[in-house]
Amino acid sequence: MIKVLKPGIEATVQDNGRIGYYELGMPPSGAMDKFSYSVGNWLVGNQDGAASLEATYMGPALEFQEDATIALTGGELPPKVNGKSVSMWETLKVKSGDILSFDFVKNGARIYLSVAGGINVPEIMGSRSTYTLCGIGGFEGRSLKEGDTLHIGNDQQDDVKEGTKVSSEFVPQYTKQHEIRVVVGLCSYRLTEHSLQNFLKTEWTVTPEANRVGYRFKGEKVEFIPREQPFGAGSDPSNVVDLGYPVGSIQIPGGVEPIALLNDAVTGGGYVTVATITSTDLNRIAQTKTNEKVKFESVTLNQALEERNAHRSNLSKIKDSIQQQQ
């Protein structure tokens, strides 16, 4: 068992997400940075999809009440065991009574704690992920609180020896300025050409409204092409007839402060979506934080698919490397 001494910020149980219910209005939730989440699970020998802990900006303080194998991946929130610094992106052993804590975030935004066996919480609609807006999944449908006790599951399939590491070439480096690749559309036709180009040229600032639902950005106002709104669309120029929102889609209500919709966002609505963050770069946007700078880089669909293939190739190399170290 793992006792929560301090909850940190937005520390929730997450896995690969609640897949298959999007058309019913149920977002996937799941780990925001799936790269870090997946690699963490491999470092402790878990089956794909085992549940981990995700914390944002400030990690929890946890007391292990049994021996465990763990790994810490994601943003740089310097971890400590019993007050001594320990490595990230490496297989670690902790003993009963050990206390895991974290210093203030240095780079990135989210850290993942993977435990051999996974976090044992009930599956809801095929997932253990927490969706706090509806209060389902994870640990009682909410972020962790002081005094909670987490149980370790049985989702380990391989023993991984202590000290197994991810090669530094695959460890993400986070800065305070980010270039996030997007595929322009679905409703980019509603922007004037000047505004579309400005959207791509502007260095946007992440506002304090940045969480698992979405990230809001401050920067240039955009203009829409004047038109008589069609039946079914709202009166604001940023409205269209309702449509589905892909995860990562960017809408601009009122032409100000774009919002990138993420894992816990609504699945559809009536705002113009001007671009969608590539699946690969959803991991990177998850590691940005308030007041950092973001520029959106337009790529074609084929380029996005090539990035995804390269990303998957790197994941395979990491998985093979972990297995070769046993």
Side-chain angles (χ1 to χ4, degrees):
M1 293 188 294
I2 304 171
K3 185 175 181 180
V4 179
L5 304 179
K6 296 179 182 178
I9 297 177
E10 288 189 346
T12 56
V13 177
Q14 299 293 344
D15 62 11
N16 267 326
R18 193 164 285 107
I19 308 301
Y21 302 97
Y22 208 74
E23 76 277 14
L24 302 178
M26 176 63 71
S29 300
M32 291 271 284
D33 175 0
K34 285 198 168 50
F35 174 83
S36 299
Y37 157 78
S38 297
V39 173
N41 263 334
W42 295 337
L43 281 169
V44 296
N46 280 347
Q47 300 172 12
D48 289 340
S52 301
L53 284 185
E54 175 188 274
T56 305
Y57 294 178
M58 187 170 77
L62 305 169
E63 179 186 354
F64 286 83
Q65 298 187 331
E66 60 186 284
D67 295 354
T69 301
I70 66 171
L72 298 151
T73 53
E76 190 181 352
L77 283 70
K80 295 180 177 178
V81 173
N82 301 328
K84 295 183 178 179
S85 297
V86 294
S87 298
M88 296 183 62
W89 304 93
E90 179 176 334
T91 306
L92 307 172
K93 300 283 187 182
V94 293
K95 295 187 177 300
S96 179
D98 283 350
I99 294 176
L100 173 67
S101 60
F102 300 86
D103 281 343
F104 293 113
V105 60
K106 287 188 173 179
N107 293 299
R110 290 180 168 80
I111 194 164
Y112 293 85
L113 166 63
S114 301
V115 183
I119 304 298
N120 188 16
V121 293
E123 282 194 7
I124 305 293
M125 300 172 76
S127 170
R128 295 188 171 93
S129 284
T130 312
Y131 180 34
T132 57
L133 294 184
C134 281
I136 66 168
F139 187 88
E140 300 181 354
R142 58 170 172 79
S143 302
L144 299 184
K145 294 181 179 178
E146 180 180 338
D148 288 341
T149 299
L150 302 170
H151 292 267
I152 297 174
N154 298 306
D155 287 337
Q156 187 184 26
Q157 63 181 9
D158 299 308
D159 287 325
V160 179
K161 68 181 181 183
E162 186 176 12
T164 299
K165 297 179 181 178
V166 175
S167 171
S168 59
E169 66 178 305
F170 295 119
V171 175
Q173 301 299 312
Y174 306 114
T175 66
K176 300 185 186 312
Q177 295 182 311
H178 310 265
E179 290 193 358
I180 300 295
R181 292 165 288 197
V182 298
V183 176
V184 171
L186 299 168
C187 303
S188 52
Y189 65 89
R190 289 292 300 121
L191 294 183
T192 64
E193 182 60 28
H194 176 74
S195 280
L196 179 57
Q197 294 307 315
N198 267 356
F199 169 75
L200 297 170
K201 291 177 181 176
T202 296
E203 187 176 63
W204 300 95
T205 301
V206 179
T207 72
E209 295 177 78
N211 53 41
R212 291 183 48 84
V213 176
Y215 273 41
R216 185 185 288 266
F217 303 90
K218 185 174 288 185
E220 296 286 327
K221 185 177 181 182
V222 303
E223 301 291 337
F224 297 93
I225 296 173
R227 70 170 181 175
E228 181 180 344
Q229 290 290 82
F231 176 77
S235 58
D236 191 278
S238 62
N239 287 139
V240 290
V241 177
D242 284 9
L243 74 169
Y245 294 152
V247 175
S249 59
I250 300 170
Q251 58 178 226
I252 314 179
V256 296
E257 297 194 352
I259 302 170
L261 301 174
L262 301 174
N263 297 40
D264 288 355
V266 295
T267 61
Y271 282 114
V272 166
T273 54
V274 300
T276 300
I277 298 170
T278 65
S279 58
T280 305
D281 280 5
L282 286 174
N283 301 314
R284 297 171 62 195
I285 197 75
Q287 294 295 353
T288 65
K289 55 184 176 294
T290 297
N291 290 328
E292 293 186 348
K293 305 296 183 182
V294 169
K295 285 190 72 173
F296 296 111
E297 177 190 356
S298 176
V299 297
T300 66
L301 179 59
N302 283 337
Q303 288 173 321
L305 293 174
E306 288 173 5
E307 292 163 12
R308 188 174 68 179
N309 288 337
H311 178 71
R312 288 175 173 173
S313 174
N314 284 340
L315 283 171
S316 294
K317 291 176 183 175
I318 294 170
K319 195 171 187 179
D320 290 345
S321 171
I322 290 172
Q323 291 172 344
Q324 290 166 7
Q325 293 177 62
Q326 306 316 304

